Amino acid sequence: MHRLALTGSTDSSAILWSVTSGEKLKSIYAFNTITCLVYVQSEICIITATDSGKIDVWDATSGTNLRSLTMFDESYTAMTVLGNYLYAASSDGIIKIWEVCDRDLILKFSLDRFNHDSNIELILREIHCLVAYDDWVFYGDDGINVKAFDWKSGIVRKFYNHVCESGTTDAIACTDREFISSSYNLDTAKGHLNVRSFPNGEYLCSLSDDSTNKISSISLTRTRNGMVRIVTGGVQLKVWDVTQLPRSNKRSSNHEIVFKTSYIPYYLKDATPSEYDSSDADDTEETSEIENEYERTYIPREISKSSSFWSSCVIL
């Protein structure tokens, strides 16, 4: 039985590979640059999305094109599947949700028509990443916060993800217990990971070392022995093995954390309705005060060093 990998590229090709042998099993041509793709197991189909706003549904066995639809005016930038629901985002800040039924797409939600039950404004910016959990959607864009909304109830939340006035969130990953988002400090050119409990968003800690630059993709899983394994891609590809994560923001010196951690109280604050308000300048001064009461340094395993370009792949 083959272990399979699915890739998409700027040459408009989606390729199904055997992980075991490295053999190319099937190739699909989408006629536009593929920016996102997913496999829907229940429907045995591949869905590709392109920089033209077009989405295609393919039979995973034969490679036959089943549907070709234009769903966005701009390029797709992020896509994920949860059960029979497809979640996708675009460079103009729109998120749409479809039900995948009989290999067809039935629109269930569009962020540009979202009437949310909150006084928090969702400003439409280019979206870089998203994850879904139950009815919640968490996403990162060109703002300083991670945003979250319940697409059925209309509840909206924001979480600080940067301690400076500007920044982008390029990657998010989650398990049923925690979600991790990438953050990047423009002043130091260093990246780190912010860890929050999932799905309520309580800030737990931040993970970093002295050599990680911008992180553009994250994969998060649990090993058989309960260890949290994080793989990050960007300028470097690294594996972070975590024996234990804090379960709340009440710090304790008894946590056995095997990498460098920091505790940044700024991330405990409620995010402001606007991305940045000059009247909060006094509050931002405290962001440089990073507490490291239970810091232990461990350089994560670095798989390979990049040269001069960014990784733009999704780690599965």
Side-chain angles (χ1 to χ4, degrees):
M1 181 176 179
H2 286 291
R3 294 184 62 191
L4 304 178
L6 181 64
T7 62
S9 67
T10 57
D11 68 358
S12 306
S13 296
I15 300 176
L16 191 65
W17 305 85
S18 167
V19 175
T20 305
S21 66
E23 178 186 0
K24 181 168 69 173
L25 303 177
K26 191 174 297 296
S27 180
I28 295 170
Y29 190 73
F31 296 97
N32 294 97
T33 295
I34 296 174
T35 56
C36 307
L37 76 171
V38 295
Y39 174 67
V40 184
Q41 184 173 6
S42 60
E43 300 287 328
I44 315 177
C45 67
I46 297 167
I47 298 178
T48 59
T50 68
D51 61 353
S52 67
K54 182 169 68 78
I55 196 169
D56 289 283
V57 183
W58 309 85
D59 184 289
T61 303
S62 66
T64 303
N65 184 274
L66 305 173
R67 299 282 186 276
S68 185
L69 306 164
T70 299
M71 297 296 197
F72 285 129
D73 295 329
E74 302 293 336
S75 173
Y76 284 80
T77 54
M79 180 180 287
T80 190
V81 65
L82 181 65
N84 269 45
Y85 285 92
L86 176 70
Y87 301 75
S90 68
S91 59
D92 56 1
I94 303 298
I95 294 175
K96 291 185 178 182
I97 303 171
W98 299 269
E99 183 180 5
V100 185
C101 183
D102 296 327
R103 297 181 170 185
D104 200 1
L105 301 180
I106 303 169
L107 183 65
K108 293 294 185 179
F109 171 88
S110 182
L111 186 60
D112 58 346
R113 299 197 298 267
F114 184 40
N115 295 318
H116 51 83
D117 182 20
S118 172
N119 60 358
I120 298 178
E121 182 182 3
L122 288 176
I123 300 172
L124 300 184
R125 297 183 173 91
E126 180 172 356
I127 295 170
H128 301 289
C129 54
L130 63 82
V131 294
Y133 179 86
D134 287 341
D135 298 331
W136 282 93
V137 178
F138 293 75
Y139 68 95
D141 60 13
D142 280 337
I144 61 173
N145 301 319
V146 169
K147 287 82 171 176
F149 62 86
D150 185 314
W151 65 278
K152 291 185 178 179
S153 71
I155 299 172
V156 176
R157 300 187 67 188
K158 288 186 180 182
F159 310 99
Y160 277 124
N161 198 48
H162 297 79
V163 296
C164 50
E165 298 177 14
S166 62
T168 62
T169 300
D170 295 293
I172 300 177
C174 69
T175 68
D176 59 347
R177 302 184 196 177
E178 55 270 321
F179 77 87
I180 294 180
S181 55
S182 66
S183 182
Y184 182 66
N185 189 315
L186 292 172
D187 295 328
T188 63
K190 300 299 181 185
H192 65 270
L193 301 172
N194 292 324
V195 183
R196 293 181 180 272
S197 60
F198 199 82
N200 64 14
E202 179 185 16
Y203 173 70
L204 302 178
C205 66
S206 297
L207 318 177
S208 64
D209 61 22
D210 295 327
S211 61
T212 298
N213 300 106
K214 192 172 187 180
I215 297 169
S216 58
S217 56
I218 306 171
S219 179
L220 175 63
T221 189
R222 286 187 177 272
T223 62
R224 292 179 180 177
N225 61 4
M227 179 182 294
V228 176
R229 175 161 292 163
I230 306 165
V231 182
T232 58
V235 176
Q236 303 96 354
L237 176 63
K238 295 186 177 183
V239 177
W240 312 62
D241 282 339
V242 186
T243 57
Q244 181 181 346
L245 284 171
R247 300 279 17 115
S248 74
N249 58 33
K250 295 179 180 179
R251 288 160 291 156
S252 168
S253 59
N254 295 325
H255 291 311
E256 296 178 359
I257 302 175
V258 294
F259 46 78
K260 182 176 180 180
T261 67
S262 58
Y263 190 83
I264 307 175
Y266 185 79
Y267 289 135
L268 293 171
K269 298 169 58 178
D270 291 332
T272 55
S274 59
E275 289 300 317
Y276 177 72
D277 186 340
S278 60
S279 64
D280 292 335
D282 292 339
D283 293 335
T284 61
E285 292 179 359
E286 67 182 75
T287 63
S288 61
E289 299 176 4
I290 299 177
E291 300 182 21
N292 297 309
E293 290 190 359
Y294 52 89
E295 179 177 302
R296 291 178 173 83
T297 301
Y298 173 80
I299 302 301
R301 288 182 287 147
E302 187 167 331
I303 303 302
S304 63
K305 290 182 179 289
S306 168
S307 53
S308 59
F309 56 87
W310 299 97
S311 166
S312 58
C313 63
V314 176
I315 304 174
L316 300 177

